[in-house]
Amino acid sequence: MSADTENLRDRTLQAMLELAATGRWAVASMQDIATEAGLTLADLRTLFCSKAAILAAFVEVIDQKVLSQDFHFEDEDTPRDRLFEVLMSRFDSLGEHREVVSALCRDLPGNPLAAISLGPTALISTGWMLEAAGISTSGPFGLLRTKGLLAVWLATLRVWLTDDSPDLSRTMAALDRYLRQAERAAIELQRFEGPRRTTVETDVVPKTEKTGEEKNGNH
């Protein structure tokens, strides 16, 4: 990617953040986005084919921030421990954009087509988080793990959006709880997957229990 193209992408993402933060993203047209970014409509079309593609680029930026980190995992860390560290790192990376994420989450229920179009992006991003934790996403069981972790992420995201604790203690407690629930389901999954794998480890499957209001706590 050339420096000029990267600059135009950055300007587009900044326009998206501004529109979302001010509550205008849901109704913004591609022309509105181009105007906010200081681009022509032709320039914007060269960069992105849709609003969903712009959001996907924003998700990719967050992914890159997480994946560029060295987590210094220890040999005794369980897959749940590693996932906890990776996902908390993702929340940290999103911290400065909490208002934007909140606005986008409010908009999506009223725009089912946008929500559907972001589904593949969410699964791809979640798959990278599993890989960062050293957990395979290959094959049908890899897809189950990806969907399971996505359920964990979305459930915890709702807590994070209202977590005003300085150390994100409510978010950490919720993430730990949901990961433990998924871990129990993963143990059941191993009964079916075990014969096909050379290495057995506890992963995430797409089942999490619904919980009430999260209490303050820490990992």
Side-chain angles (χ1 to χ4, degrees):
M1 183 186 301
S2 69
D4 287 343
T5 299
E6 187 171 355
N7 177 261
L8 295 179
R9 283 174 60 89
D10 288 345
R11 285 162 58 181
T12 303
L13 292 179
Q14 189 57 47
M16 181 276 290
L17 293 172
E18 177 63 25
L19 290 166
T22 54
R24 294 176 288 157
W25 175 256
V27 297
S29 65
M30 295 300 281
Q31 181 62 69
D32 293 332
I33 298 168
T35 300
E36 183 73 26
L39 307 178
T40 67
L41 197 58
D43 287 336
L44 183 59
R45 177 62 183 89
T46 300
L47 296 167
F48 299 104
C49 62
S50 65
K51 291 172 69 175
I54 298 173
L55 289 177
F58 171 67
V59 172
E60 183 179 348
V61 168
I62 300 301
D63 287 348
Q64 292 286 357
K65 288 183 178 181
V66 176
L67 297 173
S68 65
Q69 297 183 44
D70 186 349
F71 290 99
H72 300 290
F73 294 133
E74 303 291 341
D75 291 341
E76 62 269 22
D77 288 339
T78 65
R80 175 169 53 81
D81 294 331
R82 299 197 299 268
L83 284 172
F84 182 91
E85 294 300 325
V86 170
L87 293 187
M88 284 308 303
S89 172
R90 188 173 183 80
F91 282 121
D92 290 340
S93 297
L94 280 172
E96 63 180 301
H97 305 301
R98 193 194 299 232
E99 290 185 8
V100 170
V101 176
S102 180
L104 293 173
C105 288
R106 289 195 301 270
D107 291 340
L108 284 177
N111 190 346
L113 289 179
I116 292 172
S117 66
L118 283 174
T121 296
L123 284 173
I124 291 171
S125 175
T126 304
W128 281 108
M129 297 304 102
L130 279 165
E131 293 287 349
I135 299 172
S136 174
T137 58
S138 299
F141 289 101
L143 179 59
L144 285 176
R145 286 189 285 274
T146 302
K147 289 183 175 181
L149 188 60
L150 180 57
V152 168
W153 168 258
L154 293 175
T156 310
L157 181 68
R158 289 193 290 270
V159 178
W160 175 76
L161 288 172
T162 60
D163 186 357
D164 56 3
S165 60
D167 59 354
L168 293 181
S169 58
R170 289 182 59 222
T171 300
M172 288 192 291
L175 179 58
D176 183 65
R177 178 177 299 184
Y178 290 129
L179 284 174
R180 287 180 184 277
Q181 292 168 1
E183 185 180 52
R184 290 195 294 270
I187 292 172
E188 294 300 315
L189 174 64
Q190 286 181 352
R191 294 170 51 199
F192 302 95
E193 186 182 15
R196 302 186 183 185
R197 303 178 67 184
T198 58
T199 301
V200 177
E201 63 179 2
T202 302
D203 301 320
V204 177
V205 296
K207 289 185 181 180
T208 56
E209 300 170 10
K210 295 183 179 179
T211 61
E213 183 69 16
E214 297 296 335
K215 305 288 186 181
N216 282 346
N218 48 52
H219 179 54

